[in-house]
């Protein structure tokens, strides 16, 4: 039996693994919900030989502006390769990109007819994000693993036997749930390396073993691999949306519009930017809906942030609450997130603005639960996703503003002949420039601009959303 200190560290690692799997699963479902996603095409795009190597994943991420070290890709290959030969088969690749909780969606995507064609940027980048998330997970849990392994009395076999109470040689879900004292579908999926619905000692060891360097050296991670967090700081822009990525997305359209006038070219640029914004808003809404299903008490959550009971949340109040949730945004990231929902532009959040950041559009209150661990994890997922997406959109704004002769006033007047943009006018503009949004994405895009819920977009709304928000250095 492991002692109480070791058990506490093991449970902490399990919690982190479970949280990571929940986030990864939501990303898989978002990717597979896209009509154009067909997994074999993207597999062939990455692979030159019928297998995917670490180098090929590294090259794909680099091409899409996601900067990592080659060494950071190896743990993904090691974890998902069923043959343990340091490369991914098509079956391994499907385990990475297909959802596990939504079996109907998984079946639908896996049975799509295979075809090889030029991939859209959204599909390629969606797959890159999943790979990049796996790298983040490996990076984030490294310290948890090292802390556990360096505990004096820790032994893989003893820890395994502590959970395997019947000495069967396997840990099934009921035994794991007994150990962690809760339902653990997501944790079981992350630990079950060979997908046979049970965890053997080798699965257990691989899941707990640090990925990088010498496990006995506390400096091994930083000496052999530059962490994702270090890279984010170096790049100034956050993990998923490096400047190179947005540049690549926009530059792909150059061939289409080479013969067009500069003004028309800028309109194509704007349409593509609005498409990206709508997709990020969809991702935010997906997270809010996940949270809304838990039927939590919004007022209790506001009180958690409003520690001084002023009914107004200043940046310092929000920062302190995020730190309690173990979320540590930079000053600029916090500024962008708060700016997004600061409707009256006073630099603080009132309760209405706060709830807009967390409540889904079609929320229906059935019953109310007090904040618990499951709800807090869902809240953290909302916050992390929204902060990442706000910085991504700011990066996009800056890229647009740096274009020669790019003029928002002129573009606004080209979208509408009136002083306001109606939803149908926005839809027509996008479709005229090759962007087709479904009703939900169009609604989310309108809501982002129309913060006062007037059912139209004024020039002030348009300017407020499309101008860079961060002051120039």
């Amino acid at each position: 039996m492991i002692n109480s200190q070791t058990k506490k560290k093991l449970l902490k690692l399990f919690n982190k693994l479970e949280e990571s799997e929940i986030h990864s699963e939501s990303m898989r479902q978002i990717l597979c919900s896209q009509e154009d996603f067909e997994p074999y095409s993207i597999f062939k795009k990455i692979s030159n030989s019928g297998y995917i190597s670490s180098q090929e994943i590294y090259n794909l991420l680099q091409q899409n502006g996601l900067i990592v070290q080659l060494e950071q890709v190896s743990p993904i290959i090691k974890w998902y390769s069923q043959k343990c030969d340091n490369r991914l088969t098509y079956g391994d690749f499907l385990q990475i990109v297909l959802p596990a909780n939504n079996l109907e969606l998984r079946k639908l995507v896996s049975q799509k007819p295979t075809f090889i064609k030029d991939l859209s940027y959204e599909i390629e980048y969606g797959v890159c994000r999943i790979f990049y998330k796996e790298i983040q997970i490996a990076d984030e849990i490294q310290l948890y693993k090292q802390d556990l392994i360096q505990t004096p009395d820790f032994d893989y076999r003893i820890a395994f036997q502590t959970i395997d109470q019947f000495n069967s040689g396997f840990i099934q879900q009921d035994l794991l749930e007994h150990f962690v004292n809760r339902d653990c579908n997501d944790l079981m999926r992350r630990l079950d390396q060979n997908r046979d619905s049970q965890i053997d000692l080798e699965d257990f060891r691989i899941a707990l073993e640090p990925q990088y360097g010498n496990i006995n050296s506390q400096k091994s991670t930083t000496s052999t691999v530059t962490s994702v967090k270090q890279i984010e700081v170096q790049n100034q822009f956050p993990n998923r949306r490096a400047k190179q990525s947005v540049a690549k997305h926009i530059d792909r359209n150059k061939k289409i519009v080479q013969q067009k006038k500069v003004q028309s070219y800028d309109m194509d640029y704007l349409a593509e930017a609005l498409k990206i914004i709508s997709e990020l808003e969809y991702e935010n809404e997906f997270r809010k809906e996940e949270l809304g299903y838990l039927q939590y008490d919004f007022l209790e959550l506001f009180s958690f942030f409003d520690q001084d009971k002023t009914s107004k949340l200043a940046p310092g109040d929000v920062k302190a609450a995020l730190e309690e949730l173990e979320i540590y945004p930079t000053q600029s990231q916090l500024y962008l997130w708060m700016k997004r929902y600061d409707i009256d532009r006073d630099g603080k959040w009132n309760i209405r603005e706060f709830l807009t950041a967390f409540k889904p559009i079609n929320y229906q209150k059935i019953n109310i639960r007090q904040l618990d661990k499951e709800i807090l994890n869902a809240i953290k997922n909302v916050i992390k996703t929204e902060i990442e997406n706000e910085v991504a959109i700011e990066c996009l704004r800056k890229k647009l503003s740096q274009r020669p002769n790019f003029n928002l006033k002129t573009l606004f007047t080209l979208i509408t002949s009136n002083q306001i943009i109606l939803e149908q006018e926005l839809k027509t503009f996008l479709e005229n420039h090759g962007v087709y949004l479904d009703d939900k994405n169009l609604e989310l895009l309108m809501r982002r601009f129309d913060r006062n819920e007037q059912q139209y977009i004024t020039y002030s709304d348009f300017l407020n959303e499309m101008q860079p928000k961060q002051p120039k250095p």
Side-chain angles (χ1 to χ4, degrees):
M1 293 287 290
I2 56 177
N3 64 32
S4 59
Q5 180 186 10
T6 304
K7 181 178 180 180
K8 184 177 180 180
K9 291 182 179 181
L10 181 57
L11 288 172
K12 193 173 181 180
L13 173 58
F14 282 170
N15 290 340
K16 189 65 179 177
L17 288 168
E18 184 175 42
E19 176 187 330
S20 300
E21 176 60 25
I22 291 170
H23 195 170
S24 293
E25 175 66 11
S26 68
M27 292 177 70
R28 297 182 199 114
Q29 292 192 25
I30 290 171
L31 174 65
C32 291
S33 296
Q34 298 189 49
E35 185 177 351
D36 292 339
F37 177 67
E38 189 280 295
Y40 188 70
S41 296
I42 189 70
F43 179 80
K44 294 298 292 182
K45 163 80 175 181
I46 303 171
S47 170
N48 294 319
S49 61
Y51 297 92
I52 296 177
S53 66
S54 297
Q55 185 67 53
E56 288 169 327
I57 295 176
Y58 172 79
N59 292 341
L60 181 72
L61 295 177
Q62 294 288 112
Q63 291 164 10
N64 282 272
L66 296 173
I67 311 303
V68 299
Q69 301 295 316
L70 181 59
E71 295 91 337
Q72 288 175 289
V73 183
S74 298
I76 300 175
I77 300 290
K78 180 179 179 182
W79 179 251
Y80 283 100
S81 174
Q82 292 295 300
K83 294 183 177 180
C84 301
D85 57 358
N86 293 319
R87 56 185 186 175
L88 299 175
T89 64
Y90 180 56
D92 298 332
F93 175 73
L94 292 180
Q95 293 296 341
I96 297 175
V97 298
L98 295 186
N101 283 345
N102 190 332
L103 298 182
E104 183 177 349
L105 180 60
R106 183 186 181 95
K107 181 179 179 181
L108 177 67
V109 174
S110 61
Q111 291 181 348
K112 282 185 177 181
T114 59
F115 53 88
I116 305 298
K117 67 172 186 177
D118 292 336
L119 298 170
S120 69
Y121 174 78
E122 289 74 25
I123 297 299
E124 183 176 330
Y125 194 72
V127 173
C128 288
R129 287 175 54 207
I130 290 178
F131 279 128
Y132 192 78
K133 182 59 184 176
E134 290 293 332
I135 291 173
Q136 280 187 298
I137 291 171
D139 186 72
E140 289 171 357
I141 65 176
Q142 177 75 355
L143 294 179
Y144 290 86
K145 291 183 175 184
Q146 287 187 329
D147 187 38
L148 174 65
I149 299 302
Q150 290 167 4
T151 304
D153 74 328
F154 179 79
D155 180 271
Y156 290 110
R157 189 175 296 277
I158 295 175
F160 182 85
Q161 291 172 347
T162 300
I163 304 174
D164 179 22
Q165 298 178 350
F166 305 117
N167 294 323
S168 63
F170 298 97
I171 297 174
Q172 295 183 326
Q173 187 162 328
D174 57 343
L175 291 176
L176 187 61
E177 290 178 347
H178 182 267
F179 180 75
V180 300
N181 196 29
R182 66 174 185 278
D183 292 338
C184 58
N185 290 333
D186 300 296
L187 176 61
M188 184 71 186
R189 189 166 63 248
R190 177 59 64 168
L191 295 175
D192 182 17
Q193 192 266 345
N194 57 11
R195 310 297 187 270
D196 62 354
S197 300
Q198 56 188 11
I199 304 165
D200 60 23
L201 181 58
E202 183 63 11
D203 290 337
F204 190 76
R205 183 191 62 78
I206 293 174
L208 270 58
E209 185 177 63
Q211 292 90 347
Y212 312 124
N214 181 357
I215 64 173
N216 295 317
S217 171
Q218 293 183 352
K219 298 182 180 180
S220 61
T221 305
T222 54
S223 64
T224 59
V225 176
T226 303
S227 72
V228 170
K229 291 181 180 178
Q230 289 173 313
I231 291 171
E232 289 169 13
V233 172
Q234 293 166 5
N235 286 344
Q236 184 179 358
F237 291 89
N239 46 13
R240 298 178 10 218
R241 306 291 199 277
K243 283 202 302 188
Q244 298 95 322
S245 167
V246 176
K248 181 176 185 290
H249 180 91
I250 297 175
D251 290 341
R252 279 194 173 192
N253 296 288
K254 286 185 176 180
K255 292 182 180 179
I256 302 174
V257 295
Q258 279 177 347
Q259 306 303 320
K260 296 183 179 180
K261 296 179 180 179
V262 172
Q263 189 178 76
S264 179
Y265 189 14
D266 285 341
M267 292 173 72
D268 284 353
Y269 245 69
L270 178 62
E272 284 297 324
L274 294 175
K275 180 180 181 182
I276 295 173
I277 292 172
S278 75
E279 290 169 350
L280 297 180
E281 282 297 290
Y282 180 88
E283 192 173 326
N284 291 342
E285 187 66 14
F286 181 88
R287 285 296 187 192
K288 292 178 186 178
E289 289 174 354
E290 285 186 324
L291 177 59
Y293 292 145
L294 300 179
Q295 294 288 311
Y296 69 101
D297 188 339
F298 288 99
L299 294 180
E300 185 183 0
L301 178 60
F302 183 77
S303 297
F304 176 79
F305 278 75
D306 185 24
Q307 294 294 327
D308 56 7
K309 308 305 177 187
T310 62
S311 298
K312 279 277 193 176
L313 299 179
D317 300 320
V318 177
K319 184 174 185 292
L322 294 184
E323 288 177 352
E324 283 195 48
L325 294 170
E326 298 183 344
I327 300 174
Y328 305 97
T330 65
Q331 184 176 353
S332 63
Q333 290 170 347
L334 179 61
Y335 172 82
L336 287 171
W337 186 46
M338 292 196 66
K339 190 83 172 173
R340 162 68 177 88
Y341 296 104
D342 183 17
I343 298 171
D344 59 14
R345 305 181 190 179
D346 65 350
K348 299 180 181 181
W349 279 350
N350 58 37
I351 188 167
R352 178 191 169 212
E353 293 165 338
F354 176 82
L355 294 184
T356 305
F358 292 93
K359 186 181 290 188
I361 295 172
N362 298 317
Y363 177 73
Q364 294 183 346
K365 183 168 67 175
I366 301 173
N367 52 57
I368 292 296
R369 286 170 54 182
Q370 290 187 327
L371 297 184
D372 55 26
K373 188 168 185 179
E374 181 183 16
I375 293 173
L376 288 175
N377 282 336
I379 289 168
K380 289 165 67 174
N381 287 336
V382 170
I383 294 169
K384 289 177 180 178
T385 299
E386 289 192 342
I387 289 177
E388 288 178 354
N389 288 345
E390 285 312 307
V391 184
I393 292 171
E394 178 68 3
C395 177
L396 186 59
R397 293 188 195 105
K398 288 182 177 180
K399 190 68 181 178
L400 289 169
S401 69
Q402 291 165 4
R403 286 186 48 72
N405 304 316
F406 188 80
N407 188 296
L408 289 172
K409 177 67 173 177
T410 301
L411 290 174
F412 181 84
T413 58
L414 290 171
I415 297 174
T416 178
S417 56
N418 303 310
Q419 299 299 313
I420 57 175
I421 298 174
L422 300 175
E423 183 174 309
Q424 184 58 47
E425 288 179 308
L426 180 60
K427 181 179 181 181
T428 300
F429 166 76
L430 292 171
E431 291 181 352
N432 286 343
H433 294 274
V435 174
Y436 298 87
L437 301 183
D438 60 26
D439 291 343
K440 183 169 184 177
N441 279 55
L442 184 62
E443 178 187 7
L444 291 169
L445 184 61
M446 280 291 297
R447 282 176 174 269
R448 181 173 182 103
F449 282 82
D450 177 24
R451 299 188 185 184
N452 293 313
E453 300 180 4
Q454 305 170 101
Q455 308 303 314
Y456 56 79
I457 302 169
T458 65
Y459 176 63
S460 177
D461 295 332
F462 186 75
L463 197 64
N464 180 61
E465 181 56 44
M466 296 308 298
Q467 277 188 328
K469 298 185 181 298
Q470 288 179 320
K472 293 182 180 180

